[in-house]
Amino acid sequence: MNIKKITSLLLLLTSFSFYAQDNRMKDKKEQIKVLKVAFLTTELDLTTRQAEKFWPIYNTFDDKQFEIRHQKMRAFKNRMNDSALDDMSENEANYLLTEMESADEELFLLRKKFTKNLKEVLPAVKIITLRKSEEGFNRKLLHQYRDSKK
């Protein structure tokens, strides 16, 4: 077999590996989303009418929040590895801090808008229960992840 065929074969196998890994990540995300919906539904005890209005608002918020956290924050993390930090100038560090603060502000404003929209659908007590339930779900998920690693 010549080198071109070997290289082509390796490239093909590598691309299948990345594709399979991407699908596994999507499957895991969907599994977590299903578990989260079930958990929040139980915790919030929404009426049918509340649920019809709540879930579209929540799903939009959750998707935008995910996008901000995983696209923008990932870019920051890539630039903050040890070797990059050692070579980073003060100006570059200031620019990165400004970008990080901007993403934090965007998340804050998104949460604020989300809460405002929810006030039109749910009583304040249920909105607070939602926040508490989200934290509880995340904590439970983290514990399951830790236990699976042992």
Side-chain angles (χ1 to χ4, degrees):
M1 224 184 224
N2 67 21
I3 194 74
K4 285 185 179 182
K5 287 182 181 179
I6 292 173
T7 305
S8 297
L9 184 62
L10 284 175
L11 185 60
L12 183 65
L13 291 173
T14 304
S15 64
F16 282 137
S17 172
F18 286 129
Y19 178 75
Q21 189 175 17
D22 188 45
N23 278 343
R24 278 183 284 189
M25 289 300 289
K26 286 180 183 178
D27 289 346
K28 287 284 186 195
K29 184 181 178 223
E30 280 302 313
Q31 287 175 334
I32 291 170
K33 192 169 189 168
V34 167
L35 291 172
K36 188 176 188 179
V37 167
F39 186 83
L40 293 178
T41 299
T42 302
E43 293 292 310
L44 292 177
D45 191 30
L46 300 173
T47 66
T48 305
R49 188 168 183 217
Q50 287 173 331
E52 287 173 355
K53 294 179 181 179
F54 169 77
W55 285 111
I57 295 169
Y58 186 83
N59 290 334
T60 299
F61 163 75
D62 198 43
D63 290 344
K64 287 181 182 175
Q65 179 178 244
F66 180 84
E67 182 181 314
I68 293 168
R69 284 196 172 138
H70 288 82
Q71 288 179 350
K72 292 186 179 183
M73 299 298 194
R74 181 174 290 147
F76 303 146
K77 287 180 184 178
N78 289 341
R79 293 189 290 181
M80 292 189 327
N81 65 40
D82 290 338
S83 63
L85 284 175
D86 292 340
D87 297 334
M88 191 177 288
S89 71
E90 191 63 20
N91 284 341
E92 291 170 327
N94 279 320
Y95 180 75
L96 184 58
L97 278 175
T98 301
E99 286 183 330
M100 292 168 70
E101 290 169 349
S102 176
D104 286 340
E105 180 75 14
E106 193 174 347
L107 281 169
F108 171 75
L109 293 174
L110 179 65
R111 173 63 80 172
K112 194 172 179 176
K113 180 181 176 187
F114 172 63
T115 302
K116 180 184 175 200
N117 291 340
L118 281 183
K119 285 180 180 179
E120 298 172 9
V121 176
L122 298 177
V125 172
K126 285 206 180 194
I127 295 171
I128 293 170
T129 302
L130 170 64
R131 293 288 294 265
K132 183 177 181 250
S133 298
E134 285 177 316
E135 289 173 13
F137 177 79
N138 291 338
R139 197 174 309 110
K140 183 178 176 181
L141 195 63
L142 185 59
H143 285 298
Q144 286 179 348
Y145 177 75
R146 284 184 191 157
D147 291 345
S148 73
K149 290 293 181 185
K150 289 182 181 178

